[in-house]
mmCIF file with all atom_site columns, all heavy atoms in Angstrom:
data_model
loop_
_atom_site.group_PDB
_atom_site.id
_atom_site.type_symbol
_atom_site.label_atom_id
_atom_site.label_alt_id
_atom_site.label_comp_id
_atom_site.label_asym_id
_atom_site.label_entity_id
_atom_site.label_seq_id
_atom_site.pdbx_PDB_ins_code
_atom_site.Cartn_x
_atom_site.Cartn_y
_atom_site.Cartn_z
_atom_site.occupancy
_atom_site.B_iso_or_equiv
_atom_site.pdbx_formal_charge
_atom_site.auth_seq_id
_atom_site.auth_comp_id
_atom_site.auth_asym_id
_atom_site.auth_atom_id
_atom_site.pdbx_PDB_model_num
ATOM 1  N N   . LYS A 1 168 ? -33.385 -7.153  -73.774 1.00 97.00 ? 388 LYS A N   1
ATOM 2  C CA  . LYS A 1 168 ? -32.087 -6.535  -73.765 1.00 97.00 ? 388 LYS A CA  1
ATOM 3  C C   . LYS A 1 168 ? -31.885 -5.903  -75.265 1.00 97.00 ? 388 LYS A C   1
ATOM 4  O O   . LYS A 1 168 ? -31.976 -6.585  -76.225 1.00 97.00 ? 388 LYS A O   1
ATOM 5  C CB  . LYS A 1 168 ? -30.923 -7.579  -73.542 1.00 97.00 ? 388 LYS A CB  1
ATOM 6  C CG  . LYS A 1 168 ? -29.617 -7.080  -73.214 1.00 97.00 ? 388 LYS A CG  1
ATOM 7  C CD  . LYS A 1 168 ? -28.720 -8.205  -72.745 1.00 97.00 ? 388 LYS A CD  1
ATOM 8  C CE  . LYS A 1 168 ? -27.324 -7.721  -72.464 1.00 97.00 ? 388 LYS A CE  1
ATOM 9  N NZ  . LYS A 1 168 ? -26.483 -8.821  -71.971 1.00 97.00 ? 388 LYS A NZ  1
ATOM 10 N N   . VAL A 1 169 ? -31.458 -4.616  -75.204 1.00 96.00 ? 389 VAL A N   1
ATOM 11 C CA  . VAL A 1 169 ? -31.289 -3.940  -76.403 1.00 96.00 ? 389 VAL A CA  1
ATOM 12 C C   . VAL A 1 169 ? -29.966 -3.320  -76.462 1.00 96.00 ? 389 VAL A C   1
ATOM 13 O O   . VAL A 1 169 ? -29.518 -2.685  -75.434 1.00 96.00 ? 389 VAL A O   1
ATOM 14 C CB  . VAL A 1 169 ? -32.315 -2.813  -76.570 1.00 96.00 ? 389 VAL A CB  1
ATOM 15 C CG1 . VAL A 1 169 ? -32.305 -2.108  -77.944 1.00 96.00 ? 389 VAL A CG1 1
ATOM 16 C CG2 . VAL A 1 169 ? -33.790 -3.284  -76.192 1.00 96.00 ? 389 VAL A CG2 1
ATOM 17 N N   . GLY A 1 170 ? -29.215 -3.474  -77.546 1.00 91.00 ? 390 GLY A N   1
ATOM 18 C CA  . GLY A 1 170 ? -27.919 -2.795  -77.702 1.00 91.00 ? 390 GLY A CA  1
ATOM 19 C C   . GLY A 1 170 ? -26.798 -3.501  -77.083 1.00 91.00 ? 390 GLY A C   1
ATOM 20 O O   . GLY A 1 170 ? -25.683 -2.930  -76.931 1.00 91.00 ? 390 GLY A O   1
ATOM 21 N N   . GLY A 1 171 ? -26.992 -4.758  -76.579 1.00 88.00 ? 391 GLY A N   1
ATOM 22 C CA  . GLY A 1 171 ? -25.856 -5.550  -76.015 1.00 88.00 ? 391 GLY A CA  1
ATOM 23 C C   . GLY A 1 171 ? -25.462 -4.982  -74.704 1.00 88.00 ? 391 GLY A C   1
ATOM 24 O O   . GLY A 1 171 ? -26.261 -4.585  -73.912 1.00 88.00 ? 391 GLY A O   1
ATOM 25 N N   . ASP A 1 172 ? -24.181 -5.289  -74.339 1.00 89.00 ? 392 ASP A N   1
ATOM 26 C CA  . ASP A 1 172 ? -23.721 -4.766  -73.024 1.00 89.00 ? 392 ASP A CA  1
ATOM 27 C C   . ASP A 1 172 ? -22.696 -3.498  -73.228 1.00 89.00 ? 392 ASP A C   1
ATOM 28 O O   . ASP A 1 172 ? -22.225 -3.248  -74.324 1.00 89.00 ? 392 ASP A O   1
ATOM 29 C CB  . ASP A 1 172 ? -22.783 -5.911  -72.510 1.00 89.00 ? 392 ASP A CB  1
ATOM 30 C CG  . ASP A 1 172 ? -23.573 -7.112  -72.034 1.00 89.00 ? 392 ASP A CG  1
ATOM 31 O OD1 . ASP A 1 172 ? -24.515 -6.984  -71.271 1.00 89.00 ? 392 ASP A OD1 1
ATOM 32 O OD2 . ASP A 1 172 ? -23.249 -8.200  -72.640 1.00 89.00 ? 392 ASP A OD2 1
ATOM 33 N N   . PHE A 1 173 ? -22.646 -2.756  -72.147 1.00 87.00 ? 393 PHE A N   1
ATOM 34 C CA  . PHE A 1 173 ? -21.798 -1.623  -72.172 1.00 87.00 ? 393 PHE A CA  1
ATOM 35 C C   . PHE A 1 173 ? -20.451 -2.150  -71.787 1.00 87.00 ? 393 PHE A C   1
ATOM 36 O O   . PHE A 1 173 ? -20.163 -2.605  -70.638 1.00 87.00 ? 393 PHE A O   1
ATOM 37 C CB  . PHE A 1 173 ? -22.195 -0.662  -71.100 1.00 87.00 ? 393 PHE A CB  1
ATOM 38 C CG  . PHE A 1 173 ? -21.589 0.665   -71.258 1.00 87.00 ? 393 PHE A CG  1
ATOM 39 C CD1 . PHE A 1 173 ? -22.219 1.828   -71.639 1.00 87.00 ? 393 PHE A CD1 1
ATOM 40 C CD2 . PHE A 1 173 ? -20.202 0.873   -70.887 1.00 87.00 ? 393 PHE A CD2 1
ATOM 41 C CE1 . PHE A 1 173 ? -21.735 3.016   -71.637 1.00 87.00 ? 393 PHE A CE1 1
ATOM 42 C CE2 . PHE A 1 173 ? -19.606 2.116   -70.991 1.00 87.00 ? 393 PHE A CE2 1
ATOM 43 C CZ  . PHE A 1 173 ? -20.347 3.273   -71.470 1.00 87.00 ? 393 PHE A CZ  1
ATOM 44 N N   . GLU A 1 192 ? -33.335 -11.119 -76.443 1.00 97.00 ? 412 GLU A N   1
ATOM 45 C CA  . GLU A 1 192 ? -32.670 -10.068 -77.226 1.00 97.00 ? 412 GLU A CA  1
ATOM 46 C C   . GLU A 1 192 ? -33.623 -9.390  -78.184 1.00 97.00 ? 412 GLU A C   1
ATOM 47 O O   . GLU A 1 192 ? -34.548 -9.999  -78.622 1.00 97.00 ? 412 GLU A O   1
ATOM 48 C CB  . GLU A 1 192 ? -31.608 -10.768 -78.036 1.00 97.00 ? 412 GLU A CB  1
ATOM 49 C CG  . GLU A 1 192 ? -30.451 -11.451 -77.160 1.00 97.00 ? 412 GLU A CG  1
ATOM 50 C CD  . GLU A 1 192 ? -29.548 -10.437 -76.519 1.00 97.00 ? 412 GLU A CD  1
ATOM 51 O OE1 . GLU A 1 192 ? -29.581 -9.236  -76.851 1.00 97.00 ? 412 GLU A OE1 1
ATOM 52 O OE2 . GLU A 1 192 ? -28.786 -10.892 -75.547 1.00 97.00 ? 412 GLU A OE2 1
ATOM 53 N N   . THR A 1 249 ? -33.648 -3.590  -70.577 1.00 97.00 ? 469 THR A N   1
ATOM 54 C CA  . THR A 1 249 ? -32.419 -2.789  -70.412 1.00 97.00 ? 469 THR A CA  1
ATOM 55 C C   . THR A 1 249 ? -31.924 -2.357  -71.798 1.00 97.00 ? 469 THR A C   1
ATOM 56 O O   . THR A 1 249 ? -32.070 -3.059  -72.710 1.00 97.00 ? 469 THR A O   1
ATOM 57 C CB  . THR A 1 249 ? -31.325 -3.492  -69.694 1.00 97.00 ? 469 THR A CB  1
ATOM 58 O OG1 . THR A 1 249 ? -30.137 -2.637  -69.566 1.00 97.00 ? 469 THR A OG1 1
ATOM 59 C CG2 . THR A 1 249 ? -30.939 -4.759  -70.316 1.00 97.00 ? 469 THR A CG2 1
ATOM 60 N N   . ILE A 1 250 ? -31.397 -1.111  -71.867 1.00 96.00 ? 470 ILE A N   1
ATOM 61 C CA  . ILE A 1 250 ? -30.857 -0.575  -73.095 1.00 96.00 ? 470 ILE A CA  1
ATOM 62 C C   . ILE A 1 250 ? -29.418 -0.193  -72.768 1.00 96.00 ? 470 ILE A C   1
ATOM 63 O O   . ILE A 1 250 ? -29.092 0.608   -71.873 1.00 96.00 ? 470 ILE A O   1
ATOM 64 C CB  . ILE A 1 250 ? -31.589 0.616   -73.603 1.00 96.00 ? 470 ILE A CB  1
ATOM 65 C CG1 . ILE A 1 250 ? -32.977 0.116   -74.141 1.00 96.00 ? 470 ILE A CG1 1
ATOM 66 C CG2 . ILE A 1 250 ? -30.905 1.271   -74.656 1.00 96.00 ? 470 ILE A CG2 1
ATOM 67 C CD1 . ILE A 1 250 ? -33.799 1.180   -74.713 1.00 96.00 ? 470 ILE A CD1 1
ATOM 68 N N   . ALA A 1 251 ? -28.473 -0.729  -73.678 1.00 93.00 ? 471 ALA A N   1
ATOM 69 C CA  . ALA A 1 251 ? -27.099 -0.155  -73.653 1.00 93.00 ? 471 ALA A CA  1
ATOM 70 C C   . ALA A 1 251 ? -26.983 0.980   -74.787 1.00 93.00 ? 471 ALA A C   1
ATOM 71 O O   . ALA A 1 251 ? -26.832 0.512   -76.012 1.00 93.00 ? 471 ALA A O   1
ATOM 72 C CB  . ALA A 1 251 ? -26.120 -1.291  -73.854 1.00 93.00 ? 471 ALA A CB  1
ATOM 73 N N   . GLY A 1 254 ? -24.999 0.742   -78.162 1.00 89.00 ? 474 GLY A N   1
ATOM 74 C CA  . GLY A 1 254 ? -25.373 -0.186  -79.195 1.00 89.00 ? 474 GLY A CA  1
ATOM 75 C C   . GLY A 1 254 ? -26.579 0.263   -80.058 1.00 89.00 ? 474 GLY A C   1
ATOM 76 O O   . GLY A 1 254 ? -27.031 -0.517  -80.982 1.00 89.00 ? 474 GLY A O   1
ATOM 77 N N   . GLU A 1 282 ? -27.604 0.355   -69.594 1.00 92.00 ? 502 GLU A N   1
ATOM 78 C CA  . GLU A 1 282 ? -26.339 -0.234  -69.848 1.00 92.00 ? 502 GLU A CA  1
ATOM 79 C C   . GLU A 1 282 ? -26.312 -1.782  -69.860 1.00 92.00 ? 502 GLU A C   1
ATOM 80 O O   . GLU A 1 282 ? -25.351 -2.392  -69.611 1.00 92.00 ? 502 GLU A O   1
ATOM 81 C CB  . GLU A 1 282 ? -25.279 0.267   -68.847 1.00 92.00 ? 502 GLU A CB  1
ATOM 82 C CG  . GLU A 1 282 ? -24.776 1.651   -69.073 1.00 92.00 ? 502 GLU A CG  1
ATOM 83 C CD  . GLU A 1 282 ? -25.552 2.624   -68.263 1.00 92.00 ? 502 GLU A CD  1
ATOM 84 O OE1 . GLU A 1 282 ? -25.726 2.427   -67.119 1.00 92.00 ? 502 GLU A OE1 1
ATOM 85 O OE2 . GLU A 1 282 ? -25.990 3.670   -68.894 1.00 92.00 ? 502 GLU A OE2 1
ATOM 86 N N   . GLY A 1 283 ? -27.373 -2.418  -70.283 1.00 94.00 ? 503 GLY A N   1
ATOM 87 C CA  . GLY A 1 283 ? -27.460 -3.891  -70.333 1.00 94.00 ? 503 GLY A CA  1
ATOM 88 C C   . GLY A 1 283 ? -27.485 -4.570  -69.053 1.00 94.00 ? 503 GLY A C   1
ATOM 89 O O   . GLY A 1 283 ? -27.279 -5.744  -68.867 1.00 94.00 ? 503 GLY A O   1
#
Side-chain angles (χ1 to χ4, degrees):
K388 194 171 182 180
V389 189
D392 294 302
F393 194 111
E412 298 286 347
T469 179
I470 289 179
E502 286 94 48

